[in-house]
Amino acid sequence: AQSVTQLGSHVSVSEGALVLLRCNYSSSVPPYLFWYVQYPNQGLQLLLKYTTGATLVKGINGFEAEFKKSETSFHLTKPSAHMSDAAEYFCAVRPYSSASKIIFGSGTRLSIRP
Amino acid sequence: DADVTQTPRNRITKTGKRIMLECSQTKGHDRMYWYRQDPGLGLRLIYYSFDVKDINKGEISDGYSVSRQAQAKFSLSLESAIPNQTALYFCATSDSTGRGTEAFFGQGTRLTVV
């Protein structure tokens, strides 16, 4: 069965510092991979996704993620954190199978220190 | 107007009451999902539907039922609400026709069972 592990339920960085949110998945076949962001009192919004092709994926708001098959990872990064990045971030996977559903990780809350 | 609309946005109900959460979408997607979000647990799948005649249980379906009234409408019912069903509920949709298509979320329904 597919599963998604997000390391660290809470990450705190200083404004201007590197943001790194970790995501590992378990799957015998590389799935489709997603990162979503949830701002307070809002629904989830897609940040970026990996389907096929280039393993470095760029998303909105300066975020990017790299798919590493050998490490079964899809970590999210941003070179310089901004106060507006404070939110909860979810990694998700969906297998290639046409009958697949989307499975989410437990989420990482990102706090930004002034 | 939102592409995925959930009603109500907030609801307080008493233990033992039946309650229905509704979801409608204008995206023309065939797949619809219900998730619940609890702090530290991320999003857990309750039910999902790949078309009007295809309903499937997710990982936490006990105590819930669903109805897919039309391609655009997917409702979630709690037959006899209990306090541990207090959570934030999200409806989502996705399209089966594209590769690696993501899920689109409603704004959520905050349900409190007292």
Side-chain angles (χ1 to χ4, degrees), chain B residues 68-109:
Chain B
R68 185 86 183 262
Q69 300 94 326
Q71 186 183 37
K73 295 184 182 296
F74 191 38
S75 60
L76 175 72
S77 293
L78 286 67
E79 299 300 328
S80 179
I82 56 177
N84 77 358
Q85 291 178 313
T86 293
L88 186 55
Y89 290 84
F90 285 103
C91 175
T93 73
S94 69
D95 182 4
S96 64
T97 59
R99 296 192 67 184
T101 53
E102 66 271 27
F104 293 83
F105 284 80
Q107 292 296 297
T109 295

Side-chain angles (χ1 to χ4, degrees), chain A residues 32 34 36 38 41-44 46 49 51-52 88 90 94 96 98-102 104-107, chain B residues 9 31 33 35 37 40-43 45 48 50 88 90 94 98-103 105-107 110:
Chain A
Y32 300 122
F34 310 90
Y36 284 84
Q38 183 184 29
N41 300 314
Q42 294 189 26
L44 278 74
L46 183 71
K49 66 179 180 181
T51 54
T52 59
E88 186 139 22
F90 293 94
R94 184 166 79 80
Y96 280 164
S98 62
S100 61
K101 52 191 183 293
I102 302 174
F104 285 82
S106 56
Chain B
R9 291 292 311 278
R31 299 181 174 189
Y33 311 80
Y35 292 89
Q37 183 180 15
L41 297 178
L43 275 75
L45 186 61
Y48 59 106
F50 283 172
L88 186 55
F90 285 103
S94 69
R99 296 192 67 184
T101 53
E102 66 271 27
F105 284 80
Q107 292 296 297
R110 187 168 296 280

Side-chain angles (χ1 to χ4, degrees), chain A residues 57-106:
Chain A
V57 180
K58 295 186 185 299
I60 62 173
N61 301 337
F63 284 93
E64 60 184 36
E66 185 172 12
F67 167 59
K68 292 187 176 181
K69 181 178 177 180
S70 61
E71 299 177 7
T72 60
S73 69
F74 190 56
H75 301 331
L76 181 71
T77 61
K78 182 174 180 177
S80 177
H82 192 272
M83 295 300 291
S84 61
D85 295 326
E88 186 139 22
Y89 292 80
F90 293 94
C91 182
V93 302
R94 184 166 79 80
Y96 280 164
S97 166
S98 62
S100 61
K101 52 191 183 293
I102 302 174
I103 304 298
F104 285 82
S106 56

Side-chain angles (χ1 to χ4, degrees), chain B residues 38-81:
Chain B
D38 300 276
L41 297 178
L43 275 75
R44 292 181 291 166
L45 186 61
I46 306 172
Y47 272 95
Y48 59 106
S49 170
F50 283 172
D51 66 40
V52 175
K53 295 182 179 180
D54 181 23
I55 305 279
N56 304 279
K57 292 183 177 181
E59 57 185 308
I60 56 163
S61 59
D62 287 349
Y64 302 94
S65 62
V66 292
S67 174
R68 185 86 183 262
Q69 300 94 326
Q71 186 183 37
K73 295 184 182 296
F74 191 38
S75 60
L76 175 72
S77 293
L78 286 67
E79 299 300 328
S80 179

